[in-house]
Amino acid sequence: MEELAEEAGITVRTLRFYRERKLIHPPRREGRIAWYDETHLARLRTISALLERGHTLNGIAELAEAFDHGRNVGELLGLGAPTEETPVRLTPEALADYFGDQATPDNFAASLELGYLGTDGGEIVHISRRLLDVTAALVREGIPLADVLSAGRRVREHTDALAELFTDLVFSGGRTAEDLQRLRPLAKSVVEAELSMAMDRRLQAGGDRGPQRS
């Protein structure tokens, strides 16, 4: 314990307090010897980093619980990695840098449930660099992260339906999975074009919820 506290730059008393709050996992024991490893040190450095960013110990404890119960990256990716998306590995403090005070336990849990995030040892894995960048950009524009995630859930429902529609269309002609993979850029082009025209229609109509301008 003394060696771990020294490596983490904290006091033994603080380390004991973190253990009592269950912010770190119990050590591996061999007889009367308690062994700590790099995962304990990484968690302590994460706690220090999050405290420096203004997070409370209660909030960090809730984040740690959500993190420990999150789906691992194998469950998140299923049989294999996305064919066109690039997963991103993040430390908890890096995630906090992306979203600041909106990196809350509730938002973290929502991201895990949606399948945007998974865990891999001491790291967080975001399923898609593009989705991460877009989400962060929307939050920087002042849209609450909770609202962005709620919208993402609705988008997922619509895109699942679109993928099913296109898959049925391709397979109805007796084509194979290889054909579906080859033709998927056509499906993306149709969706992108239709979305673009739908946005044009919304803009031309003034937007049902847009501000009224004189």
Side-chain angles (χ1 to χ4, degrees):
M1 181 177 286
E2 290 79 6
E3 292 174 358
L4 177 64
E6 183 178 357
E7 284 288 328
I10 61 176
T11 66
V12 173
R13 182 178 179 181
T14 298
L15 177 55
R16 288 198 177 99
F17 176 72
Y18 288 166
R19 281 190 54 187
E20 292 170 0
R21 294 289 301 273
K22 297 182 179 180
L23 290 171
I24 64 172
H25 297 297
R28 177 175 59 86
R29 291 193 172 275
E30 292 183 3
R32 299 181 62 183
I33 301 176
W35 293 100
Y36 294 91
D37 57 27
E38 290 297 323
T39 61
H40 294 95
L41 182 58
R43 176 61 64 88
L44 290 173
R45 287 173 174 167
T46 293
I47 292 170
S48 297
L50 292 176
L51 286 173
E52 291 177 0
R53 288 161 172 78
H55 289 258
T56 66
L57 279 178
N58 285 337
I60 294 172
E62 292 175 354
L63 281 171
E65 183 178 3
F67 182 79
D68 291 338
H69 289 86
R71 288 185 293 172
N72 65 44
V73 68
E75 295 171 324
L76 181 66
L77 297 178
L79 295 178
T83 56
E84 296 184 346
E85 299 303 311
T86 303
V88 183
R89 292 180 176 273
L90 301 161
T91 60
E93 55 267 39
L95 188 67
D97 286 340
Y98 265 96
F99 299 110
D101 60 1
Q102 295 197 52
T104 63
D106 285 345
N107 285 334
F108 187 78
S111 298
L112 288 167
E113 180 184 357
L114 188 56
Y116 281 1
L117 296 179
T119 60
D120 185 18
E123 290 183 311
I124 299 167
V125 179
H126 196 290
I127 193 67
S128 166
R129 163 66 71 182
R130 287 196 293 181
L131 282 175
L132 175 62
D133 290 343
V134 168
T135 302
L138 290 170
V139 170
R140 288 195 299 270
E141 289 292 330
I143 303 175
L145 179 56
D147 292 347
V148 175
L149 295 173
S150 178
R153 189 173 292 105
R154 294 177 62 190
V155 169
R156 175 71 57 79
E157 294 172 358
H158 291 299
T159 52
D160 279 345
L162 289 169
E164 182 179 2
L165 187 155
F166 189 77
T167 299
D168 290 346
L169 178 66
V170 171
F171 287 162
S172 65
R175 296 175 181 85
T176 66
E178 288 75 15
D179 293 318
L180 179 63
Q181 176 68 5
R182 178 173 55 84
L183 296 172
R184 66 187 288 174
L186 302 181
K188 292 171 56 180
S189 295
V190 170
V191 172
E192 184 177 352
E194 286 288 356
L195 178 59
S196 178
M197 291 187 292
M199 292 296 293
D200 287 342
R201 292 192 292 271
R202 297 289 291 180
L203 290 168
Q204 290 166 6
D208 291 343
R209 298 185 181 181
Q212 300 298 316
R213 300 183 184 276
S214 57

mmCIF file of all heavy atoms in Angstrom, residues 39 92 96 142 149 183 199 214:
data_model
loop_
_atom_site.group_PDB
_atom_site.id
_atom_site.type_symbol
_atom_site.label_atom_id
_atom_site.label_comp_id
_atom_site.label_asym_id
_atom_site.label_seq_id
_atom_site.Cartn_x
_atom_site.Cartn_y
_atom_site.Cartn_z
ATOM 1 N N THR A 39 -3.225 -1.666 -12.857
ATOM 2 C CA THR A 39 -4.620 -1.223 -12.970
ATOM 3 C C THR A 39 -5.021 -0.363 -11.778
ATOM 4 O O THR A 39 -5.784 0.600 -11.921
ATOM 5 C CB THR A 39 -5.573 -2.432 -13.084
ATOM 6 O OG1 THR A 39 -5.468 -3.242 -11.906
ATOM 7 C CG2 THR A 39 -5.251 -3.263 -14.310
ATOM 8 N N PRO A 92 -10.487 7.458 -19.010
ATOM 9 C CA PRO A 92 -11.613 8.215 -18.447
ATOM 10 C C PRO A 92 -11.363 9.715 -18.420
ATOM 11 O O PRO A 92 -12.274 10.516 -18.669
ATOM 12 C CB PRO A 92 -11.748 7.644 -17.030
ATOM 13 C CG PRO A 92 -11.222 6.244 -17.152
ATOM 14 C CD PRO A 92 -10.081 6.343 -18.131
ATOM 15 N N ALA A 96 -13.391 12.823 -20.207
ATOM 16 C CA ALA A 96 -13.804 14.034 -19.494
ATOM 17 C C ALA A 96 -13.343 15.283 -20.236
ATOM 18 O O ALA A 96 -14.033 16.305 -20.241
ATOM 19 C CB ALA A 96 -13.247 14.022 -18.073
ATOM 20 N N GLY A 142 -23.408 23.727 -27.761
ATOM 21 C CA GLY A 142 -24.356 24.038 -26.692
ATOM 22 C C GLY A 142 -25.499 23.062 -26.538
ATOM 23 O O GLY A 142 -26.403 23.287 -25.740
ATOM 24 N N LEU A 149 -27.440 12.073 -27.131
ATOM 25 C CA LEU A 149 -27.543 10.622 -27.000
ATOM 26 C C LEU A 149 -28.969 10.141 -27.234
ATOM 27 O O LEU A 149 -29.197 9.090 -27.833
ATOM 28 C CB LEU A 149 -27.060 10.188 -25.613
ATOM 29 C CG LEU A 149 -25.573 10.436 -25.327
ATOM 30 C CD1 LEU A 149 -25.250 10.120 -23.879
ATOM 31 C CD2 LEU A 149 -24.695 9.611 -26.264
ATOM 32 N N LEU A 183 -22.708 -3.723 -52.586
ATOM 33 C CA LEU A 183 -23.708 -2.717 -52.932
ATOM 34 C C LEU A 183 -24.003 -1.727 -51.809
ATOM 35 O O LEU A 183 -24.750 -0.769 -52.018
ATOM 36 C CB LEU A 183 -25.021 -3.420 -53.340
ATOM 37 C CG LEU A 183 -24.945 -4.283 -54.599
ATOM 38 C CD1 LEU A 183 -26.238 -5.059 -54.783
ATOM 39 C CD2 LEU A 183 -24.649 -3.424 -55.826
ATOM 40 N N MET A 199 -33.341 17.906 -45.327
ATOM 41 C CA MET A 199 -32.859 19.099 -44.633
ATOM 42 C C MET A 199 -33.201 20.347 -45.437
ATOM 43 O O MET A 199 -33.576 21.393 -44.867
ATOM 44 C CB MET A 199 -31.347 19.002 -44.413
ATOM 45 C CG MET A 199 -30.933 17.916 -43.435
ATOM 46 S SD MET A 199 -31.520 18.193 -41.747
ATOM 47 C CE MET A 199 -30.582 19.660 -41.309
ATOM 48 N N SER A 214 -36.882 38.322 -38.233
ATOM 49 C CA SER A 214 -37.562 39.410 -38.935
ATOM 50 C C SER A 214 -36.746 39.844 -40.138
ATOM 51 O O SER A 214 -35.569 39.579 -40.218
ATOM 52 C CB SER A 214 -37.744 40.597 -37.980
ATOM 53 O OG SER A 214 -36.486 41.010 -37.463
#
